[in-house]
Amino acid sequence: MISNGSKNVISCENLRVQSKTIYMNITYFGHSCFGVEISGKHILFDPFITPNELAKNIDINTVKADYILISHGHSDHVADAVSIAKRTGAKVVSNFEVITWVNNQGVTNTHPMNVGGTWKFEFGSVKCVVAVHSSTMPDGTQGGTAMGFVVESAEECFYFAGDTALTYDMKLIGEFHKIDFCFLPIGDNFTMDIKSAVVAADFVNCNKIIGMHYDTFGYIKIDKPEAISKFAAAKRELILFEVGETKSI
Ligand code: NI
Ligand code: MN
């Protein structure tokens, strides 16, 4: 059942050891690639580092991963997935078609999922949620359906939107989860823009937004101070990382 009000919210709070005092270390590797440390495990999202001019100072061999979560098959989300998976032995989690592509390149530690599904991993649970976007692998093979992820752990609960348009489905995320922070694309052209991301933050009911998918290519250049002020005008905090920077969120 879905209605307004907090009654139906499946809160992460009861999972938390001490809410509000626990933070997660998050490292930005450029574009939509973030490393999130949860209970001592390193979760890497959408690895695209070596082809990214803005991430040229990142040494790919130092990127830690116990899990690699991939939102969809486009090269700006999977470019370094296979090499990092092979070096680290990380478990790759994505939709069935992306996992098939990864398997075909010799990566065997994988977990296929699809939109709507949830699975409990050792760091917490991952729920695959709707993203409105396409998904084709770099070699042209079928990349399944683009997804976002809701990660619930003992520490915090967060939403990684992947590449997506603004969609009313995001309201469901806000109704079913208490999102402590979220990663939203803000670069426009291939995904939603800043104005839509402000509305998305409202839909998921989250005050801390980490911006992604901006500035990497000419099509997605943004005015960062303007982006921050647009979120501030909606009483929400937009957090933008320098490439290589780690913050506790
Ligand atoms: Ni994409
Ligand atoms: Mn993309």
Side-chain angles (χ1 to χ4, degrees):
M1 189 180 85
I2 290 158
S3 70
N4 59 358
S6 55
K7 284 190 297 256
N8 299 318
V9 171
I10 300 163
S11 171
C12 307
E13 225 127 24
N14 44 11
L15 295 171
R16 278 179 210 151
V17 192
Q18 297 168 285
S19 69
K20 308 241 186 286
T21 54
I22 294 174
Y23 297 95
M24 286 181 183
N25 283 331
I26 302 173
T27 303
Y28 188 42
F29 298 108
H31 200 50
S32 294
C33 182
F34 289 88
V36 182
E37 204 183 324
I38 308 171
S39 308
K41 296 290 173 196
H42 292 88
I43 322 301
L44 185 68
F45 288 87
D46 285 0
F48 169 77
I49 299 164
T50 53
N52 183 359
E53 181 61 24
L54 300 181
K56 61 173 188 256
N57 293 328
I58 303 288
D59 176 359
I60 188 88
N61 291 311
T62 64
V63 176
K64 292 178 184 164
D66 297 298
Y67 290 85
I68 300 172
L69 269 57
I70 301 174
S71 65
H72 66 293
H74 291 157
S75 63
D76 60 317
H77 300 261
V78 304
D80 295 307
V82 169
S83 68
I84 295 173
K86 284 183 177 171
R87 174 178 57 80
T88 59
K91 185 184 285 292
V92 182
V93 179
S94 188
N95 73 37
F96 186 85
E97 290 80 359
V98 171
I99 292 301
T100 302
W101 177 82
V102 166
N103 289 153
N104 286 340
Q105 292 174 82
V107 175
T108 53
N109 188 13
T110 53
H111 185 106
M113 297 183 71
N114 218 325
V115 185
T118 305
W119 190 262
K120 256 191 166 45
F121 296 94
E122 55 192 332
F123 60 86
S125 70
V126 173
K127 181 179 188 178
C128 300
V129 295
V130 169
V132 178
H133 194 70
S134 56
S135 178
T136 305
M137 305 314 303
D139 61 6
T141 55
Q142 166 65 260
T145 304
M147 321 188 289
F149 301 108
V150 174
V151 177
E152 293 201 32
S153 74
E155 285 114 328
E156 289 184 289
C157 179
F158 66 90
Y159 167 47
F160 180 91
D163 281 6
T164 184
L166 175 64
T167 165
Y168 224 66
D169 285 329
M170 289 166 177
K171 285 205 162 209
L172 292 172
I173 294 169
E175 290 197 22
F176 281 91
H177 307 273
K178 193 192 167 300
I179 303 293
D180 293 301
F181 60 90
C182 61
F183 298 88
L184 298 180
I186 55 172
D188 206 353
N189 193 74
F190 295 116
T191 67
M192 57 187 173
D193 63 353
I194 293 153
K195 206 172 144 194
S196 293
V198 170
V199 179
D202 183 56
F203 283 0
V204 300
N205 194 18
C206 177
N207 287 322
K208 268 191 225 171
I209 297 92
I210 298 166
M212 63 181 183
H213 214 273
Y214 63 92
D215 280 1
T216 318
F217 331 107
Y219 291 126
I220 59 173
K221 293 251 190 279
I222 66 158
D223 181 329
K224 289 197 262 188
E226 191 193 336
I228 290 165
S229 69
K230 277 186 175 159
F231 275 91
K235 305 256 185 297
R236 298 190 197 273
E237 183 188 7
L238 177 67
I239 301 160
L240 299 178
F241 285 64
E242 296 297 325
V243 177
E245 187 182 9
T246 300
K247 292 182 198 273
S248 288
I249 305 275

